[in-house]
Amino acid sequence: MCFSPQADLVGGIVISTIGVAAVRNAQKRHRDVALSTLPLLLGAHQIIESFVWFGLQGHEPHALETFALWAYLLIAFVILPIFVPLAVVINEPSHRRRFIMTPLVALGVAVSTILFATMVRGPVSVRLRPYHLAYSIHLSHGALIVVLYVTAICGTLLLSTRRRVVTFGIVNLIAVGVIAWLTVDGFASVWCGWAAISSGAIAFHMHVGKTHRSPPLVTSPV
């Protein structure tokens, strides 16, 4: 994934299809609906990036490329830091754990606000690399913001009482480290390749949960 616009486009369609299946499986379990829509969001995200690729290669108008660039970054930097923690909180059956997760939702909102303000101030740019796209915004204390971003998203996953959600969080945390080690400027782009795997994990969680409820890690007061 993310090695070419064609890979992004095909991958996005596949992820979106997985998302449709996940949402259908979660329809009768209202707590799971928000989390199950994540593959749909990630699928759209990957399809949007294919238009950024095509624009940089000169295959579409600059205006469409700019629109796709902003749409891609808005999802990555503004929507995901809020959506993922909030979806996990909604999915969580334990009142106590939801209370503990609430500060991470607030952290996600704060990170999202900082990144959005930075995007508005500009400049926002993207460069074509051999196997990924390099997105850039003029962000002060970038390393700290990245750590807070990962904390907000992965932290809520790790605090869940559902085993599959925690496993999903652990694998995501490892993936973040590996991708960051492999590439810095291409992190946002390469992440969409991992989205296919993570979306599949979410869909599996929703499908299994349809007939077998995920056991809690601990006995928590409700």
Side-chain angles (χ1 to χ4, degrees), residues 157-174:
L157 295 169
L158 296 176
L159 287 172
S160 175
T161 58
R162 297 183 183 273
R163 291 186 184 275
R164 286 186 291 271
V165 175
V166 174
T167 301
F168 178 57
I170 293 172
V171 175
N172 265 275
L173 192 59
I174 294 172

Side-chain angles (χ1 to χ4, degrees), residues 31 89 92-102 161 220-222:
R31 286 189 182 275
V89 169
E92 175 56 45
S94 166
H95 289 290
R96 181 181 180 184
R97 288 298 178 94
R98 290 201 299 270
F99 179 78
I100 294 173
M101 292 173 181
T102 300
T161 58
S220 301
V222 178

Side-chain angles (χ1 to χ4, degrees), residues 12-219:
I13 293 172
V14 171
I15 294 170
S16 298
T17 303
I18 292 173
V20 171
V23 172
R24 290 181 62 184
N25 285 335
Q27 283 179 346
K28 294 183 179 180
R29 304 187 313 279
H30 300 299
R31 286 189 182 275
D32 294 343
V33 172
L35 190 59
S36 69
T37 58
L38 184 57
L40 282 174
L41 180 60
L42 293 174
H45 197 214
Q46 200 164 351
I47 292 171
I48 289 168
E49 188 178 47
S50 70
F51 287 97
V52 181
W53 275 94
F54 286 128
L56 290 173
Q57 293 175 346
H59 300 313
E60 65 187 23
H62 179 68
L64 181 57
E65 175 199 329
T66 301
F67 177 82
L69 168 62
W70 274 84
Y72 184 88
L73 291 182
L74 283 172
I75 293 175
F77 293 163
V78 181
I79 295 177
L80 287 179
I82 299 175
F83 181 85
V84 175
L86 190 59
V88 175
V89 169
I90 294 172
N91 178 259
E92 175 56 45
S94 166
H95 289 290
R96 181 181 180 184
R97 288 298 178 94
R98 290 201 299 270
F99 179 78
I100 294 173
M101 292 173 181
T102 300
L104 293 178
V105 177
L107 177 61
V109 172
V111 170
S112 174
T113 302
I114 293 171
L115 291 172
F116 180 69
T118 303
M119 288 175 60
V120 171
R121 286 195 303 268
V124 174
S125 64
V126 59
R127 296 183 303 278
L128 190 61
R129 296 293 192 229
Y131 300 106
H132 66 263
L133 300 182
Y135 297 94
S136 176
I137 61 175
H138 189 64
L139 181 65
S140 301
H141 309 293
L144 175 60
I145 298 301
V146 170
V147 170
L148 295 178
Y149 181 104
V150 174
T151 300
I153 290 181
C154 293
T156 46
L157 295 169
L158 296 176
L159 287 172
S160 175
T161 58
R162 297 183 183 273
R163 291 186 184 275
R164 286 186 291 271
V165 175
V166 174
T167 301
F168 178 57
I170 293 172
V171 175
N172 265 275
L173 192 59
I174 294 172
V176 167
V178 172
I179 294 172
W181 177 68
L182 291 174
T183 176
V184 176
D185 66 349
F187 181 85
S189 181
V190 175
W191 180 259
C192 72
W194 173 247
I197 301 175
S198 60
S199 295
I202 293 174
F204 175 77
H205 165 65
M206 296 303 163
H207 176 70
V208 173
K210 187 176 182 180
T211 55
H212 179 71
R213 192 179 187 87
S214 177
L217 290 173
V218 296
T219 302

